[in-house]
């Protein structure tokens, strides 16, 4: 008798007022190279964390609606807390225990997850579900905080690069329970070692990121690597979605709502085309939020639920790939509402 | 004057990053079948058999009776180099064929037609490439292209059909990629089996060629 695990609810939070694309495209010395490429075409808006905002601040604000909807006491009782921060505020300690302290949680299982990248919401769901099915844990909170955009990509020397205008900050959280409220039907995940290490951080000098220097950190995109990562991403997400559909026993055409990570418009277009889904069934928040990295899936799903785009009974598939393709994942949920 | 030609994309007028941007825009995960195979149909395969032997095998048209799905019973059609056989894809359908081969380029083209031999419009363009050159391994690469001649969509001589309801070869165009892929797999299997087992790759024709 397998215990049914549900993705009972999700919530999202976006910091501050929308930042228009001009913040980047009109900044002094803005580099227009690559900006016309679909990989780096700037969305009209994105959100940036305020100076001093931490991952824990974002998670606290994202969890607030869950506490309102389910009761603070209920959320404080979670047995499992999983946290993924795209940009850790502190090395060594992770953010999980600070989240527990701030929210008043006392989880039996607490993990800071540093892999899974843009698909880490799915990897955390899979791990949380495993813990809920195989231990006496009954509820879980999974958190994705993304604070790279307003911190790394606003640095003067980085802000002028085409890559800087694409990311956005935000936070999404999911609440899982052992119930049949919104059953998790299947998960299909793959770690792909051969693509590990292809996403790099770059500085102009050869200093380590923690060593002092004046040259800012950025993502090490090269033109050659863009083509490779593009082809990989094109393939990986539809493959995982098809795989999770096979496990559910339906074809991709049965998907009512697809929610993916959103590195750029081209991936969104290609994944939808590959799965032959109409645009209205593939939700995204790219135009308003840019690339939310790991927070994209829960933030977009939350928005879809609140707007009525996700209806009770819908087959919802969450999917994405990480970094330069080192992980790809998809999960299927029968939405409860 | 090149400058008079509209729409050229060359490094002189398009920076590499713009070229990259354009290419990314044009790169999809999937392409509608018709977009890829609607007007031309190319299949290709690696074969573990020396290119000279592959070329020699293809150059002798009677081998079509081994590796194609349905072309059989070739016999001289009465004029030099023209053969007539049966395409058993459709009942009582004669297929005329002339082989044009170029040993230097290792190209073998089968100029064919159903029902009549005056106008050979159904042309199978094949090329053998030494894999040593393109894949850095022994063996051969075979490419095979068909172009969608208007006659595929419109039988020029319906009066020659053995019966009014006989399907026309062009009705199968959308299945060519699959069908030719299966036939190319046949070809690969035959060549690789004979080569791996030290057998002669080419076999004598069952019908003596006219001298």
């Amino acid at each position: 008798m397998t215990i049914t695990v549900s993705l009972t609810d999700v919530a999202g939070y976006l910091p501050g007022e929308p930042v228009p694309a001009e913040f980047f495209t009109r900044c002094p010395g803005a580099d227009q190279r690559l900006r016309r490429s679909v990989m780096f075409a700037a969305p009209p808006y994105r959100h940036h964390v305020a100076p001093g905002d931490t991952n824990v601040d974002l998670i606290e604000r994202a969890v607030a609606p869950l506490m309102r909807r389910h009761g603070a006491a209920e959320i404080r009782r979670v047995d499992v807390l999983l946290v993924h921060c795209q940009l850790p505020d502190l090395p060594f300690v992770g953010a999980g225990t600070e989240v527990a302290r701030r929210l008043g949680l006392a989880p039996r299982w607490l993990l800071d997850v540093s892999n899974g990248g843009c698909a880490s919401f799915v990897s955390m769901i899979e791990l949380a579900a495993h813990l809920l099915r195989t231990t006496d844990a009954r509820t879980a909170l999974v958190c994705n905080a993304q604070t790279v955009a307003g911190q790394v990509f606003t640095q003067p020397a980085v802000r002028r690069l085409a890559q800087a205008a694409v990311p956005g900050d935000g936070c999404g959280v999911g609440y899982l329970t052992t119930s049949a409220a919104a059953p998790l039907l299947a998960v299909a995940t793959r770690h792909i070692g051969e693509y590990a290490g292809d996403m790099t951080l770059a500085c102009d000098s050869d200093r380590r990121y923690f060593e002092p220097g004046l040259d800012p950190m950025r993502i090490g995109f090269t033109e050659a690597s863009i083509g490779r990562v593009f082809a990989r991403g094109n393939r990986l997400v539809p493959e995982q979605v098809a795989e999770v559909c096979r496990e559910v026993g339906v074809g991709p055409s049965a998907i009512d709502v697809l929610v993916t990570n959103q590195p750029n418009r081209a991936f969104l277009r290609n994944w939808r085309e590959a799965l032959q889904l109409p645009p209205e069934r593939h939700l995204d928040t790219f135009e308003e939020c840019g690339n939310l990295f790991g927070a994209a899936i829960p933030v977009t799903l939350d928005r879809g639920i609140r707007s009525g785009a996700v209806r009770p009974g819908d087959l919802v598939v969450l999917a994405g790939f990480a970094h330069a393709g080192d992980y790809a994942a998809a999960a299927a949920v029968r939405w409860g509402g | 004057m090149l400058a008079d030609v509209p729409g050229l994309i060359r490094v002189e007028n398009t920076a590499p990053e713009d070229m990259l941007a354009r290419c990314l825009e044009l790169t999809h995960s999937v392409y509608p079948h018709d977009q890829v195979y609607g007007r031309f149909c190319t299949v290709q395969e690696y074969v573990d058999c020396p290119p000279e032997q592959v070329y020699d095998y293809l150059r002798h048209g009677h081998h079509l009776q081994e590796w194609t799905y349905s072309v059989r019973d070739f016999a001289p059609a009465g004029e030099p180099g023209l053969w007539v056989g049966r395409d058993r894809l459709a009942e009582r359908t004669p297929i005329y064929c002339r082989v044009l081969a170029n040993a230097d380029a290792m190209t073998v083209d089968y100029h064919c037609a159903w029902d009549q031999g005056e106008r050979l419009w159904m042309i199978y363009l094949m090329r053998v490439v030494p894999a040593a050159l393109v894949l850095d391994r022994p063996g051969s690469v075979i490419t095979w292209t068909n172009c969608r001649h208007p006659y595929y969509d419109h039988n020029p001589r319906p009066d020659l059909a053995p019966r009014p309801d006989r399907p026309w070869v062009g009705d199968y165009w959308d299945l060519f990629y699959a069908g030719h892929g299966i036939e190319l797999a046949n070809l690969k299997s035959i060549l690789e089996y004979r080569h791996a087992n030290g057998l002669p790759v080419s076999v004598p024709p069952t019908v003596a060629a006219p001298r």
Side-chain angles (χ1 to χ4, degrees):
Chain A
M1 172 69 190
T2 310
I3 295 170
T4 302
V5 171
S6 282
L7 178 61
T8 297
D9 203 358
V10 294
Y13 168 77
L14 298 171
E17 290 302 307
V19 177
E22 290 70 36
F23 176 83
F24 297 96
T25 56
R26 301 223 177 122
C27 82
D31 184 356
Q32 303 304 343
R33 286 178 338 122
L34 289 180
R35 217 179 273 286
R36 285 173 298 277
S37 120
V38 289
M39 287 287 275
F40 299 119
Y45 298 100
R46 77 281 298 128
H47 291 256
H48 284 162
V49 287
D53 267 350
T54 65
N55 288 303
V56 180
D57 293 330
L58 264 63
I59 291 168
E60 183 181 26
R61 295 170 205 158
V63 171
L66 291 182
M67 289 189 162
R68 278 198 302 276
R69 289 196 286 266
H70 303 272
E74 185 68 23
I75 299 300
R76 288 198 179 104
R77 269 199 294 270
V78 292
D79 306 296
V80 179
L81 173 64
L82 305 179
V83 178
H84 181 279
C85 299
Q86 209 71 52
L87 181 67
D89 291 301
L90 280 176
F92 310 121
V93 295
T97 39
E98 177 67 14
V99 170
R101 188 176 72 94
R102 186 80 67 86
L103 297 176
L105 316 178
R108 161 71 182 81
W109 303 92
L110 193 163
L111 272 174
D112 272 275
V113 173
S114 58
N115 49 14
C118 297
S120 53
F121 189 71
V122 182
S123 73
M124 290 192 290
I125 284 177
E126 181 180 40
L127 181 57
H130 181 70
L131 290 168
L132 297 186
R133 285 188 187 119
T134 56
T135 72
D136 56 6
R138 288 295 160 259
T139 61
L141 184 64
V142 300
C143 311
N144 269 110
Q146 203 310 89
T147 60
V148 178
Q151 299 189 101
V152 172
F153 289 99
T154 52
Q155 299 175 96
V158 181
R159 179 176 162 186
R160 55 179 194 78
L161 302 176
Q163 60 170 260
V166 184
D169 291 332
C171 180
V173 295
Y175 178 51
L176 290 94
T177 61
T178 45
S179 77
L184 179 65
L185 306 175
V187 183
T189 65
R190 276 174 75 198
H191 291 278
I192 306 158
E194 65 186 289
Y195 302 148
D198 285 6
M199 182 180 170
T200 56
L201 288 178
C203 299
D204 290 331
S205 71
D206 59 357
R207 67 180 180 89
R208 304 291 307 277
Y209 72 94
F210 51 81
E211 291 175 331
L214 295 172
D215 50 324
M217 184 180 93
R218 61 180 190 278
I219 296 179
F221 281 114
T222 64
E223 293 190 12
S225 74
I226 290 168
R228 266 207 316 278
V229 171
F230 189 61
R232 273 178 211 169
N234 275 345
R235 199 183 67 242
L236 288 171
V237 170
E239 275 175 3
Q240 288 311 117
V241 171
E243 177 62 30
V244 88
C245 285
R246 258 195 303 280
E247 290 188 27
V248 173
V250 299
S253 61
I255 297 170
D256 295 303
V257 175
L258 174 68
V259 179
T260 60
N261 65 313
Q262 49 192 40
N264 56 54
R265 292 188 189 98
F267 278 131
L268 293 168
R269 174 197 75 180
N270 290 354
W271 296 337
R272 189 166 56 235
E273 283 179 352
L275 295 161
Q276 296 180 49
L277 291 172
E280 61 274 15
R281 279 158 61 188
H282 182 191
L283 309 184
D284 74 84
T285 46
F286 185 77
E287 302 300 312
E288 311 85 44
C289 302
N291 180 3
L292 285 167
F293 295 75
I297 293 173
V299 165
T300 301
L301 179 58
D302 174 55
R303 179 167 300 201
I305 293 161
R306 304 312 139 212
S307 71
V310 183
R311 293 174 308 259
D314 275 355
L315 176 63
V316 177
V317 170
L318 314 175
F321 81 102
H323 312 128
D326 64 11
Y327 176 73
V333 176
R334 182 66 66 185
W335 187 245
Chain B
M1 280 294 290
L2 210 48
D4 300 333
V5 183
L8 297 184
I9 305 290
R10 303 172 74 240
V11 71
E12 289 80 1
N13 65 15
T14 304
E17 55 269 20
D18 289 327
M19 180 66 176
L20 175 71
R22 190 177 281 258
C23 291
L24 289 169
E25 190 73 57
L26 293 170
T27 303
H28 296 241
S29 291
V30 291
Y31 302 84
H33 181 89
D34 184 66
Q35 196 179 313
V36 185
Y37 301 110
R39 294 169 56 227
F40 304 94
C41 177
T42 298
V43 292
Q44 57 280 315
E45 186 53 276
Y46 166 80
V47 179
D48 187 5
C49 180
E52 302 72 23
Q53 292 183 44
V54 174
Y55 169 74
D56 194 58
Y57 180 87
L58 289 174
R59 173 172 84 81
H60 292 97
H62 65 272
H63 289 129
L64 287 166
Q65 302 172 138
E66 290 194 322
W67 64 268
T68 66
Y69 167 69
S70 58
V71 175
R72 300 292 181 267
D73 307 326
F74 270 133
E79 57 179 88
L82 186 68
W83 293 77
V84 61
R86 290 195 300 151
D87 192 340
R88 291 175 53 189
L89 188 64
E91 232 180 311
R92 303 199 306 278
T93 295
I95 181 165
Y96 289 82
C97 180
R98 191 186 290 283
V99 183
L100 274 70
N102 179 317
D104 293 331
M106 287 200 289
T107 57
V108 179
D109 302 335
Y110 305 108
H111 293 239
C112 305
W114 274 13
D115 302 335
Q116 50 80 33
E118 288 80 61
R119 176 140 189 213
L120 302 178
W121 57 272
M122 193 164 66
I123 302 174
Y124 301 75
L125 305 159
M126 302 187 74
R127 180 173 183 182
V128 183
V129 183
L133 298 176
V134 292
L135 298 177
D136 197 21
R137 60 191 289 202
S140 309
V141 170
I142 301 175
T143 65
W144 169 10
T145 300
N146 277 68
C147 307
R148 193 167 186 163
H149 190 285
Y151 289 175
Y152 278 115
D153 296 312
H154 175 73
N155 181 356
R157 295 291 308 273
D159 55 299
L160 296 176
R163 56 177 206 279
D165 61 344
R166 196 267 316 260
W168 178 235
V169 61
D171 299 346
Y172 300 106
W173 176 272
D174 288 331
L175 304 180
F176 273 23
Y177 173 71
H180 290 182
I182 289 168
E183 291 181 312
L184 191 54
N186 287 347
L187 177 60
K188 176 180 167 83
S189 299
I190 293 165
L191 294 167
E192 291 189 342
Y193 176 84
R194 289 179 182 164
H195 176 62
N197 290 286
L199 302 165
V201 168
S202 292
V203 298
T206 47
V207 180
R211 299 275 168 221

